[in-house]
Amino acid sequence: QVQLVESGGGLVQAGGSLRLSCAASGLPFRTYTNGWFRQAPGKEREFVAGISWNSGTLYADSVKGRFTISRDKTKNTAYLEMNSLKPEDTAVYYCAARRLSIVISDYEYDYWGQGTQVTVSS
């Protein structure tokens, strides 16, 4: 069975950093795009960043220059390095996967993790 498991969330002060991890199993990781999405209370899920099977990347304007997405194909793990965190970054962060290219719409992704909470205090 396909599983995506996020970890690394927590509570951090504004201006701080967190590194999220997404461990994948049960799918051909090297041929899949990973996307990171987030959902704040009362809001729709939104695209944060994606990395394609051939290592191309795409970022939401709100996180460009602050967040970095990467992956380790040997470990079947994707990462989201979050720096200069702001209170508006507070959300549940989800790892998702789909075959091949990056897209920004959540309904285009086939597999999802359970989410990890990120809370940024002022």
Side-chain angles (χ1 to χ4, degrees):
Q1 293 183 348
V2 174
Q3 289 191 120
L4 300 175
V5 180
E6 303 97 333
S7 62
L11 175 64
V12 65
Q13 293 282 341
S17 299
L18 286 172
R19 182 178 174 88
L20 306 183
S21 298
C22 173
S25 62
L27 57 77
F29 186 81
R30 66 182 181 179
T31 68
Y32 273 73
T33 283
N34 284 108
W36 286 95
F37 293 78
R38 66 188 182 188
Q39 188 169 25
K43 296 185 177 181
E44 297 296 317
R45 200 193 318 264
E46 65 175 344
F47 175 81
V48 176
I51 184 165
S52 71
W53 67 276
N54 60 350
S55 299
T57 59
L58 182 67
Y59 296 92
D61 287 343
S62 59
V63 306
K64 285 181 180 177
R66 299 190 297 121
F67 292 10
T68 302
I69 189 170
S70 62
R71 71 194 321 199
D72 186 334
K73 294 182 178 180
T74 300
K75 297 181 179 180
N76 288 356
T77 302
Y79 304 95
L80 185 68
E81 180 73 31
M82 305 185 295
N83 299 312
S84 301
L85 282 162
K86 305 174 181 179
E88 52 262 45
D89 295 318
T90 295
V92 176
Y93 283 71
Y94 296 91
C95 178
R98 69 185 303 276
R99 195 165 185 266
L100 300 180
S101 62
I102 301 169
V103 298
I104 64 172
S105 299
D106 57 359
Y107 55 80
E108 297 283 1
Y109 287 78
D110 301 304
Y111 308 107
W112 292 85
Q114 82 289 348
T116 186
Q117 177 71 48
V118 172
T119 302
V120 184
S121 61
S122 60

